[in-house]
Amino acid sequence: QKEVEQNSGPLSVPEGAIASLNCTYSDRGSQSFFWYRQYSGKSPELIMFIYSNGDKEDGRFTAQLNKASQYVSLLIRDSQPSDSATYLCAVGVGAGGTSYGKLTFGQGTILTVHP
Amino acid sequence: KAGVTQTPRYLIKTRGQQVTLSCSPISGHRSVSWYQQTPGQGLQFLFEYFSETQRNKGNFPGRFSGRQFSNSRSEMNVSTLELGDSALYLCASSWGRARGTEAFFGQGTRLTVV
């Protein structure tokens, strides 16, 4: 079993729809959760982070965390063609600075938003 | 505020050579982590430095090494290059303490080994 698994994709949604990206993790000690967006040929860009159970909203993005189910998701509302990218889920073990810089990444989900 | 800066952006090296990559973190950040990204393996953690000390290391051979300087800048070295070392090498910086572990990536160094 992979440590961090994402829905395999690719995911295609029409412009204006909600895109739902999912991620599960195996280490129950994980305490920090991140979503990165990576455009082709570019480096990953941090778009959301969440540490506590529940929802966290930032503009069109909502991150959801359920530690009991070891599940984290990202919702993108009103999807735009510019959201087309690979979305990477990353998990850190340990709170605060104790994860010592190590993030474990999923393999990524390719999202395409078509006009 | 300047972001994470990696140099060089592109490198072509021959098998058996060694290479040094550089990373300057966001001002104030004391943690620098290095990752290797390949199409087959995705993003894999190499190591992390905080205040000039390596705190964590991934599952890479000893040919991969790094260091951090007192100004938090970091270098990564790969010796005896192999074809399989061709990859995008990314560094990420963060505060590294309870203030926040959010990591921000540089543009990366694309290494090609021929």
Side-chain angles (χ1 to χ4, degrees), chain A residues 65-83:
Chain A
L65 174 62
N66 184 325
K67 289 185 179 180
S69 300
Q70 295 176 246
Y71 173 91
V72 59
S73 66
L74 178 71
L75 299 177
I76 306 175
R77 292 181 300 281
D78 189 23
S79 296
Q80 300 296 310
S82 59
D83 294 327

Side-chain angles (χ1 to χ4, degrees), chain A residues 32 34 36 38 41-46 49 51 88 94-107, chain B residues 9 31 33 35 37 43 45 48 55-58 88 90 96-98 100-108 110:
Chain A
S32 52
F34 308 88
Y36 287 86
Q38 187 172 26
K42 301 293 186 182
S43 62
E45 173 192 8
L46 180 65
F49 58 92
Y51 299 132
L88 297 161
T98 62
S99 60
Y100 298 149
K102 179 180 179 180
L103 295 178
T104 301
F105 284 83
Q107 74 278 23
Chain B
R9 293 291 309 279
S31 168
S33 300
Y35 292 83
Q37 187 174 32
L43 267 157
F45 173 77
E48 186 256 7
R55 296 194 300 182
N56 206 348
K57 190 177 188 303
L88 180 65
L90 293 157
R97 286 187 178 272
T101 56
E102 301 89 68
F104 300 90
F105 284 91
Q107 320 95 301
R110 173 76 61 184

Side-chain angles (χ1 to χ4, degrees), chain A:
Chain A
Q1 181 190 5
K2 292 182 181 178
E3 294 181 65
V4 179
E5 291 203 57
Q6 297 184 235
N7 45 337
S8 57
L11 180 64
S12 181
V13 301
E15 185 174 355
I18 295 175
S20 178
L21 302 159
N22 304 314
C23 174
T24 58
Y25 58 94
S26 60
D27 190 334
R28 286 197 170 272
S30 302
Q31 298 206 28
S32 52
F33 307 87
F34 308 88
W35 284 98
Y36 287 86
R37 175 176 63 196
Q38 187 172 26
Y39 293 113
S40 181
K42 301 293 186 182
S43 62
E45 173 192 8
L46 180 65
I47 54 172
M48 289 291 287
F49 58 92
I50 186 167
Y51 299 132
S52 304
N53 275 331
D55 294 359
K56 179 181 179 182
E57 186 175 317
D58 185 1
R60 296 185 296 112
F61 299 98
T62 299
Q64 300 173 314
L65 174 62
N66 184 325
K67 289 185 179 180
S69 300
Q70 295 176 246
Y71 173 91
V72 59
S73 66
L74 178 71
L75 299 177
I76 306 175
R77 292 181 300 281
D78 189 23
S79 296
Q80 300 296 310
S82 59
D83 294 327
S84 298
T86 298
Y87 287 80
L88 297 161
C89 171
V91 175
V93 176
T98 62
S99 60
Y100 298 149
K102 179 180 179 180
L103 295 178
T104 301
F105 284 83
Q107 74 278 23
T109 299
I110 298 172
L111 171 66
T112 301
V113 181
H114 53 87

Side-chain angles (χ1 to χ4, degrees), chain B residues 90-101:
Chain B
L90 293 157
C91 82
S93 79
S94 73
W95 292 106
R97 286 187 178 272
R99 189 170 173 179
T101 56

